Amino acid sequence: MTGEAHETMNGPGVACCTPSAGTAMSEEQAEQVTPLLKALADPVRLRLVSLIASAQAGEACVCDLNEAFDLTQATISHHLKVLHSAGIVDREKRGVWVYYSVRSEALSAVANLFTSASLAGASA
């Protein structure tokens, strides 16, 4: 909408909306959180994070995760690798099995993404 149309609709000198009182996300903050959001932007990966986070011991064996999906082990491993590379899950090898746990600070960063307090705290 052009400035001319704006003045016609709202009258000269009348603001179209109330200015934001919060602090907007910086370019650096957006670049830091983008890998997390990209990693979570897949239904299988969202379910994997949910399964791991809800596991009774706070961690889940890859063998249990494989059973929850009608996908190949290689596909599940790929999704877990994406989540690990993005810093969403940690992994620990025990013998032949790998156990995954959710990094709570990664999920907190996503959960608090648009709150002005977290943005202000992240820039300090």
Side-chain angles (χ1 to χ4, degrees):
M1 182 179 277
T2 66
E4 190 174 298
H6 174 263
E7 287 185 13
T8 304
M9 291 179 60
N10 296 319
V14 177
C16 68
C17 57
T18 305
S20 173
T23 303
M25 182 184 300
S26 71
E27 184 176 342
E28 180 182 344
Q29 289 167 322
E31 287 177 10
Q32 288 174 349
V33 78
T34 296
L36 293 173
L37 295 176
K38 283 184 178 180
L40 291 171
D42 180 277
V44 171
R45 292 194 285 267
L46 277 174
R47 284 191 59 216
L48 283 167
V49 171
S50 176
L51 286 166
I52 296 166
S54 65
Q56 190 170 12
E59 63 182 6
C61 178
V62 69
C63 60
D64 296 325
L65 297 171
N66 286 335
E67 292 174 7
F69 297 89
D70 189 24
L71 298 169
T72 66
Q73 185 274 329
T75 300
I76 297 298
S77 291
H78 165 75
H79 286 297
L80 289 167
K81 181 180 178 182
V82 170
L83 292 168
H84 181 263
S85 296
I88 296 169
V89 297
D90 285 326
R91 63 182 174 203
E92 181 183 338
K93 187 166 183 165
R94 299 180 198 156
V96 297
W97 300 111
V98 179
Y99 288 80
Y100 289 87
S101 58
V102 174
R103 297 187 68 219
S104 59
E105 59 274 14
L107 292 186
S108 292
V110 173
N112 297 322
L113 191 57
F114 296 105
T115 60
S116 59
S118 69
L119 294 175
S123 63

